[in-house]
Amino acid sequence: MTAPKFSAASSAPHILVLHGPNLNLLGVREPTIYGNDSLADIDARLVCLAQATGATCLSFQSNNEGALIDCIHAAPQKGIGFIVINPGGLTHSSVALRDALSGVALPFIEVHLSNIHAREPFRHRSLLADQAVGVIAGLGVRGYEFALTWALEYLQKRS
Ligand code: CA2
């Protein structure tokens, strides 16, 4: 997936959806944990949901921590008002991702397909969660949709 390209010219709310490492494997492996939907399926649904309210939803997946951080750094200048992020395994380890999100000071919701609290102990801790507006875990793909819906309402109230 290439880095998202968008214009800040439009006044429509822009939401960035970030998918962390290995989430490109969705729908291909481990369907019992992560479901049958591919990342493209998820992104397509989110684009439709955003478009229905006149908003724009851009998605970016990377297996590279630095690429995710660069994308976060670029977000404010590109008119992004909110981030929905599934940081994947970086959730549990990345001070750098936490610092990037704090650095741009954009509101974000952390989403996990699986219930990280019902899994191995090392997945119970998130280095991002206390900085998030909210955290959704264990609701599968619907978790992204709930997060996006909340973000759209949040941005509409502030417009
Ligand atoms: O439940 C989630 O959404 C996670 O963020 C997924 C991460 C995991 O490290 C987190 O603890 C919880 C793993 C993403 C890997 O996704 C795969 C999908 C299909 C096959 C293999 C991996």
Side-chain angles (χ1 to χ4, degrees):
M1 200 176 289
T2 53
K5 292 189 175 58
F6 34 84
S7 155
S10 153
S11 62
H14 297 304
I15 295 167
L16 177 62
V17 179
L18 284 177
H19 308 284
N22 299 308
L23 287 160
N24 54 310
L25 297 176
L26 282 178
V28 180
R29 305 236 166 80
E30 303 201 43
T32 51
I33 302 177
Y34 299 119
N36 292 306
D37 288 305
S38 69
L39 203 58
D41 294 333
I42 295 172
D43 286 342
R45 284 224 281 282
L46 297 179
V47 165
C48 284
L49 196 56
Q51 276 176 353
T53 69
T56 309
C57 174
L58 291 312
S59 297
F60 179 63
Q61 187 276 333
S62 182
N63 295 324
N64 182 324
E65 184 178 21
L68 293 165
I69 290 170
D70 286 343
C71 193
I72 292 167
H73 287 176
Q77 300 98 294
K78 303 218 166 160
I80 297 291
F82 204 103
I83 296 175
V84 173
I85 180 168
N86 182 346
L90 294 173
T91 306
H92 320 295
S93 65
S94 180
V95 175
L97 198 56
R98 174 196 173 89
D99 289 345
L101 287 162
S102 300
V104 297
L106 285 172
F108 72 94
I109 296 178
E110 177 180 325
V111 173
H112 299 284
L113 292 157
S114 64
N115 179 358
I116 54 175
H117 302 288
R119 300 183 64 190
E120 305 97 317
F122 66 84
R123 294 188 201 275
H124 297 181
R125 183 184 72 151
S126 165
L127 295 189
L128 314 182
D130 66 299
Q131 302 288 310
V133 174
V135 179
I136 299 173
L139 305 185
V141 174
R142 295 283 283 152
Y144 283 98
E145 295 169 5
F146 293 140
L148 183 66
T149 301
W150 201 94
L152 291 166
E153 287 174 12
Y154 173 95
L155 292 174
Q156 267 157 15
K157 277 186 205 145
R158 274 154 189 77
S159 67

